[in-house]
Amino acid sequence: MLLSMMRKHAKSWLIKVLIGIIALVFVFYFGYSFTAKKGLKVAYVNGEMISRMEYQKAYWDLLEALRRQYKDVWNDNLIKVFDLKNRALDNLINQKLISQEARKIGLDITESEIQQAIMDYPAFQINGQFDIRRYKGLLSQNHMKPEDFEETMAKELLDGKLQQFLLTLMPVTDQEVLEYYTYTNEKIKINLVQFKPEKFKKAIEPDQASLETFFKENREGYRVPEKVKLAYLLIDPDTFKDKVEIKDREIEEYYEYNTDTFLQPKEVKARHILFKLNQGAGEAEEKEVKEKATKVLEEARKGNDFATLAKKYSEGPTKSEGGDLGYFTAGRMVKPFEDTAFKMKKGEISDLVQTRFGYHIIKVEDVKEARTKALDEVRDQISKILLKTGSAELAHEYALSLIDQMPYDADLAEYTAERELKAKYTGDFSQDQRIPGIGGDDKLRKSLFSLRKGETSELLELKGKFYIFQVADRKESYLPEMAEVTDKLKDDYIAYRSVEEAKTAAESYLTALKEGKAWDELAKEKNLESEDTEFFTRRGPVPKIGRAPDLLETAFSLNRNKRYPDTIFKNEKGAFVIRWEASEGIDESKYQEEKDKYRFSLMQTKHRRAFQVWVDSLKKKAEIEIVSPVTER
């Protein structure tokens, strides 16, 4: 890698020449291209120019956002994977169109609004405060003048104002909120009969012609995906622990600088007796529960054993333990309960405390006031922390030295062998498979898949360990010949045919029902078992069937007058015939509680879709000319 080569040969005459050449390139690129007429222009939108400076800011904003998202697994090859250059230009074109429309309706931005936005910009802040030197420094690094950046900020603020203006013209009505809430929360219950494919498999004997036809029709489904094989070196900090020396002074300094982390918050040890009260309970029920709780409270205050009372009367999960909740800190209990318990003294019994669970009687058995643990109490804890950080630092420094000294075209296995280290290899894996022996997430796989064969990653940290990866082999995606997938093909064909047979049987069953056959009678006649589901909403899976968006919509379209759907439903589990059983409307009181939350959600969805439709319509009518294609740069 070029960076590694430059680090390795930093003092050589060759690198000095290279640095000189790079400097000249920067002078010409950022000098000439920023002053030359053509270099300044990227595109025109309805006659209005997009400058190279505007484009660079949009590009760097996107790049930095992705770098933050990918953190330690970022590499510059991902710029092509995400098509960042074109995405940045497309965003700018949209921005121009929006700004033009804002001017048409007379929206404007004041200087004070621009200044405030810049001061609030996170990249220009240090410890939450705007820093003028950081502001100028970052602009200088990106070859931008303050006036150019401020102009860009003004356009972004103007876009925001326009969005607010347009969206005020699209209010969300109470009726829309009610319909949205009803759609999300109404429930139905169905009865179903399942036709399982397993019952049909034994009767299916595939012949060669059928297999060939099935393979031709589904060949793309047998495509072998692109795969890579990685060589990698693992540097484990645990192997450096014996090299870490922890001195008493270091422990003391860590304690002094991190005193807040050793704060022991206030703890309360309590028991409680719970008298449950269902949400939405009527006055009579609430009165009855409260009277029962009051009588038990009187017994507790007379000196009767609290634990015994809890075992006898409590309706909470800790009843068998005499209501014992143990020690707890703030934030562990519901607020009314916590507020009361933390105001009480040891041995006190509370008045009745009402929470969403019902009425509680609380007895505080002990109180541990907040304090900072002494150094001697946490010395071992600090030692472990320093040992872990110290070994990680040594491992990191060692790993960096390896990657810095590694020639850019070196074979990782050979390079590590020369240093009496051993590189390991993963098996072949595709981008949607876990990395054998390593795991990792989608971001890591995407990052490694963007490397070319023989290319080496930067130093990556995964779960506290350090890795250097190199693509040892890359196998392109291809369509296999039938002989390569014979066993799987046969299994797939039998599975497909058995589902089709199940579907045919289910369709015949549904036809009989529509012709007047009774549900229970037909199930008994066909030796099938009908099952009732519990009530369910559109938000989750269909009970006993699983995720089935199409079936959900079909099921919710049924009612007392039309109990059967027009078609059966089929998935990998088999074929299903369903019958509507009952519907359940929304809980009106719960709707009133959650109405504002649903209004906000609906408003965001509605506005986002409407705004995108509006921008797309502007784009269709606009005159857009690309002067300097960004893919060339």
Side-chain angles (χ1 to χ4, degrees):
M1 292 180 295
L2 181 59
L3 181 58
S4 299
M5 186 176 74
M6 291 179 71
R7 284 172 175 162
K8 185 177 180 181
H9 304 288
K11 295 183 180 179
S12 74
W13 66 269
L14 174 62
I15 291 302
K16 291 177 182 177
V17 172
L18 279 173
I19 291 171
I21 293 170
I22 291 169
L24 284 173
V25 171
F26 268 75
V27 167
F28 279 98
Y29 182 79
F30 292 114
Y32 175 74
S33 71
F34 273 89
T35 55
K37 188 175 181 181
K38 184 177 180 181
L40 279 169
K41 302 172 185 176
V42 175
Y44 282 98
V45 180
N46 292 327
E48 187 175 346
M49 182 181 72
I50 292 176
S51 70
R52 176 60 53 180
M53 287 184 182
E54 288 178 290
Y55 171 74
Q56 275 206 302
K57 179 184 179 299
Y59 175 79
W60 281 106
D61 282 349
L62 268 179
L63 182 60
E64 284 306 308
L66 276 171
R67 278 177 174 161
R68 285 193 298 272
Q69 184 183 351
Y70 274 71
K71 296 180 182 176
D72 296 331
V73 299
W74 173 263
N75 73 69
D76 287 342
N77 292 337
L78 290 170
I79 291 171
K80 289 183 179 179
V81 173
F82 289 108
D83 195 20
L84 237 57
K85 293 183 177 181
N86 284 311
R87 281 175 63 182
L89 179 57
D90 194 53
N91 288 348
L92 269 177
I93 290 170
N94 289 345
Q95 200 175 78
K96 283 288 181 187
L97 291 168
I98 293 167
S99 298
Q100 289 167 3
E101 290 300 306
R103 289 196 297 270
K104 286 180 185 178
I105 58 177
L107 292 177
D108 202 2
I109 299 295
T110 65
E111 285 188 17
S112 61
E113 287 175 312
I114 298 170
Q115 289 171 0
Q116 189 61 50
I118 290 173
M119 292 180 72
D120 292 340
Y121 207 77
F124 304 142
Q125 294 181 348
I126 296 178
N127 297 324
Q129 297 293 321
F130 176 75
D131 187 275
I132 188 67
R133 287 176 298 180
R134 187 175 181 87
Y135 171 58
K136 290 181 177 179
L138 284 174
L139 293 187
S140 176
Q141 287 176 29
N142 287 284
H143 307 279
M144 293 188 76
K145 295 178 182 178
E147 53 266 33
D148 296 323
F149 182 79
E150 288 162 18
E151 182 182 348
T152 305
M153 284 298 298
K155 289 175 181 175
E156 290 182 4
L157 291 170
L158 191 61
D159 296 348
K161 273 192 176 181
L162 178 61
Q163 288 195 42
Q164 288 182 327
F165 172 78
L166 292 172
L167 299 183
T168 56
L169 304 176
M170 289 180 280
V172 175
T173 66
D174 288 344
Q175 183 60 33
E176 286 177 314
V177 178
L178 178 59
E179 289 172 0
Y180 177 48
Y181 187 89
T182 301
Y183 181 84
T184 308
N185 292 281
E186 64 179 341
K187 298 177 181 179
I188 64 166
K189 180 180 182 181
I190 62 173
N191 195 285
L192 62 89
V193 171
Q194 180 181 6
F195 293 79
K196 298 178 180 179
E198 290 75 18
K199 290 185 177 181
F200 301 91
K201 279 187 176 180
K202 290 181 180 179
I204 299 171
E205 287 291 339
D207 56 69
Q208 188 64 21
S210 297
L211 289 175
E212 288 175 0
T213 302
F214 184 77
F215 180 67
K216 287 177 183 177
E217 292 174 350
N218 298 277
R219 191 177 182 191
E220 189 61 39
Y222 294 93
R223 176 177 288 279
V224 178
E226 180 183 24
K227 293 185 178 183
V228 299
K229 180 180 181 180
L230 301 173
Y232 67 95
L233 179 64
L234 166 63
I235 303 97
D236 190 340
D238 284 348
T239 60
F240 291 81
K241 282 184 176 180
D242 59 348
K243 296 180 176 63
V244 179
E245 182 184 355
I246 301 170
K247 299 177 181 177
D248 286 342
R249 183 59 195 153
E250 290 176 317
I251 294 174
E252 291 165 6
E253 287 177 351
Y254 186 92
Y255 179 79
E256 289 171 10
Y257 289 123
N258 298 277
T259 305
D260 290 348
T261 63
F262 302 113
L263 177 66
Q264 181 73 39
K266 181 177 179 178
E267 289 184 297
V268 171
K269 185 177 188 295
R271 293 179 184 270
H272 81 133
I273 304 171
L274 170 64
F275 302 87
K276 284 186 177 179
L277 182 64
N278 296 322
Q279 288 189 7
E283 289 183 18
E285 183 183 347
E286 183 172 357
K287 183 181 178 182
E288 182 184 342
V289 172
K290 190 172 183 180
E291 286 177 354
K292 181 181 177 182
T294 302
K295 288 178 182 178
V296 176
L297 175 60
E298 290 172 359
E299 289 187 47
R301 285 185 168 165
K302 286 177 183 176
N304 291 343
D305 184 68
F306 196 90
T308 303
L309 291 173
K311 288 180 180 179
K312 184 176 180 181
Y313 295 108
S314 183
E315 298 170 346
T318 59
K319 174 178 180 173
S320 60
E321 290 85 40
D324 188 11
L325 297 169
Y327 285 97
F328 55 89
T329 55
R332 293 274 305 279
M333 302 295 177
V334 288
K335 198 165 186 335
F337 188 103
E338 177 185 292
D339 289 346
T340 301
F342 273 78
K343 289 175 185 175
M344 294 168 64
K345 296 176 182 177
K346 180 178 178 179
E348 283 188 337
I349 295 174
S350 71
D351 292 326
L352 296 184
V353 179
Q354 187 173 8
T355 71
R356 67 173 183 268
F357 301 110
Y359 286 101
H360 305 256
I361 303 170
I362 306 169
K363 181 178 181 181
V364 170
E365 297 192 327
D366 193 20
V367 177
K368 292 181 181 178
E369 296 296 338
R371 68 182 184 88
T372 300
K373 292 180 181 178
L375 174 59
D376 286 344
E377 291 181 78
V378 295
R379 186 177 294 276
D380 288 344
Q381 181 183 344
I382 294 173
S383 293
K384 289 177 183 177
I385 293 171
L386 293 177
L387 179 62
K388 185 176 181 179
T389 56
S391 58
E393 286 171 5
L394 289 176
H396 186 254
E397 288 172 10
Y398 177 67
L400 280 178
S401 70
L402 287 175
I403 204 167
D404 285 350
Q405 295 169 37
M406 182 177 174
Y408 74 97
D409 58 351
D411 178 272
L412 182 63
E414 293 176 4
Y415 173 73
T416 53
E418 290 169 2
R419 284 154 180 76
E420 298 183 351
L421 300 169
K422 187 174 182 180
K424 298 180 180 180
Y425 289 88
T426 68
D428 295 334
F429 64 97
S430 61
Q431 193 167 330
D432 60 354
Q433 293 176 318
R434 288 174 60 84
I435 303 174
I438 292 172
D441 58 13
D442 181 61
K443 291 177 184 176
L444 174 64
R445 293 194 299 274
K446 190 171 286 185
S447 178
L448 295 175
F449 258 79
S450 70
L451 300 175
R452 296 179 294 275
K453 183 178 179 179
E455 192 172 359
T456 307
S457 72
E458 294 296 333
L459 184 65
L460 302 182
E461 183 179 353
L462 304 170
K463 297 179 181 178
K465 298 178 181 180
F466 300 100
Y467 292 84
I468 301 170
F469 291 100
Q470 186 178 74
V471 177
D473 192 20
R474 181 181 287 276
K475 295 177 180 177
E476 298 300 324
S477 171
Y478 71 94
L479 286 172
E481 296 301 321
M482 183 172 163
E484 297 177 59
V485 293
T486 302
D487 292 339
K488 186 175 189 307
L489 177 64
K490 185 176 180 180
D491 290 342
D492 289 349
Y493 177 80
I494 291 172
Y496 162 74
R497 286 298 311 149
S498 60
V499 171
E500 288 300 302
E501 291 295 327
K503 176 188 172 186
T504 301
E507 287 172 337
S508 174
Y509 191 92
L510 180 60
T511 300
L513 289 170
K514 288 181 176 180
E515 289 174 351
K517 273 281 190 180
W519 177 268
D520 293 332
E521 182 184 323
L522 185 59
K524 187 176 181 181
E525 180 184 311
K526 298 292 184 182
N527 199 25
L528 293 167
E529 183 182 350
S530 64
E531 300 178 83
D532 282 319
T533 70
E534 64 268 23
F535 279 101
F536 59 93
T537 68
R538 287 183 173 89
R539 287 180 293 179
V542 179
K544 306 181 189 296
I545 294 179
R547 285 196 55 80
D550 293 341
L551 178 59
L552 274 173
E553 289 308 309
T554 299
F556 274 87
S557 69
L558 303 176
N559 54 50
R560 191 178 305 279
N561 299 320
K562 184 185 178 183
R563 302 186 69 179
Y564 299 119
D566 294 329
T567 60
I568 60 99
F569 174 75
K570 180 185 73 170
N571 65 9
E572 69 282 354
K573 293 181 180 179
F576 298 85
V577 176
I578 68 169
R579 180 179 73 163
W580 177 91
E581 286 296 308
S583 297
E584 190 177 276
I586 62 171
D587 182 330
E588 186 61 37
S589 61
K590 199 170 182 182
Y591 166 65
Q592 293 301 328
E593 289 178 16
E594 299 181 342
K595 183 166 63 174
D596 290 342
K597 182 180 73 174
Y598 276 80
R599 182 186 298 277
F600 181 73
S601 174
L602 179 60
M603 181 177 66
Q604 283 189 312
T605 303
K606 183 179 179 182
H607 288 180
R608 186 168 56 247
R609 288 175 181 169
F611 190 76
Q612 189 56 53
V613 169
W614 179 73
V615 172
D616 290 343
S617 69
L618 290 179
K619 207 166 185 177
K620 286 179 182 177
K621 295 183 287 186
E623 293 182 10
I624 299 170
E625 178 190 358
I626 307 299
V627 178
S628 179
V630 294
T631 49
E632 293 179 5
R633 293 181 179 269

